[in-house]
Amino acid sequence: MQTKKIAIVTGGGSGLGFAIAQQFTQNGITTIIAGRDVNKLQTAKEQLGENCVAMPCDVTDLKSIPAFVQQVLQQYGQIDILVNNAGINMKKEFTEVTDEDFQSILNTNVTAVFVLSREVVKHMLTRNTGCIINISSMAAQYGLPKVIAYSASKTAIDGMTRAMAVELSPKGIRVNAIAPGFIYSAMTAKALDSDPERKAKVFGRTPMGHMGQPEDIGSAALYLASDAAKYVTGVVLPIDGGNSIGF
Ligand code: NDP
């Protein structure tokens, strides 16, 4: 019987997923990072050390997901934590968004989250325990222009989090979401620096007055995955310096 916890973090090779994997591995959780780019995963694995395992997986290849989950189970025996972090965005004028654009965002951000969760939950139900963390966004808390598909997808994530929580919590599986606010990365910082008006708008409604760090999302995920959160389910936790409640 495994004593170490086993986690899957989709998109764990970069950005917020990497920060989550970092907190997990540093706290003794064997963490499987999944993504499409093998080199990205390998580089991340080298940084994350021996508690990290890189497993290539394209979450939009829905037919391959059951085999991916079985591979994890064969190698590690159990899955305690699933973090549905992999996500894509696309900024376009509303009328420029094609059917394919819209569908592609929904495939990655919603359908893949459902299919991977379903396959992992089948296993978690055999043990009556488990924790699922979905990564949402401020785009589900208020209206953002030019991200119609992304907003639809992240609002779906909030709804799915609540629907999964009411159905699965009686069976020992807690389901929560994290809604990151404006989190620092070279890309987000550059985007804001190149658009002073947007920058003023963002910080004008962020009571803490600065961006978050990826590790803030990692810490929130570690908390939700831990026994400290054993009575927490169905919440969408904003980690946003107050942005979602700022005037
Ligand atoms: P990144 O682009 O840095 O990371 C996204 C990750 O998802 C990559 O590692 C990518 O790996 C993986 N990924 C994308 N598509 C697939 C796929 N089809 N199959 C498997 N893996 C995939 O983004 P962020 O770290 O910024 O975002 C992570 C999550 O946080 C997303 O859900 C995003 O919506 C959310 N978020 C981020 C915010 C921010 O400020 N950064 C704010 C609010 C929400 P690969 O390319 O190798 O497949």
Side-chain angles (χ1 to χ4, degrees), residues 120-181:
V120 169
V121 163
K122 284 179 189 170
H123 157 72
M124 287 176 169
L125 286 173
T126 66
R127 300 172 65 224
N128 293 315
T129 184
C131 168
I132 298 181
I133 300 168
N134 297 323
I135 305 300
S136 181
S137 165
M138 282 303 114
Q141 308 261 332
Y142 48 66
L144 281 169
K146 298 182 190 166
V147 285
I148 188 63
Y150 185 77
S151 299
S153 75
K154 293 302 185 179
T155 309
I157 285 296
D158 289 4
M160 272 167 52
T161 299
R162 288 187 280 268
M164 287 167 71
V166 292
E167 190 168 340
L168 300 174
S169 299
K171 297 167 181 170
I173 304 169
R174 295 186 298 107
V175 186
N176 292 290
I178 294 170

Side-chain angles (χ1 to χ4, degrees), residues 1-4 76-78 80 127 129:
M1 184 74 175
Q2 280 272 2
T3 49
K4 241 182 155 181
Y76 298 95
Q78 68 196 52
D80 300 280
R127 300 172 65 224
T129 184

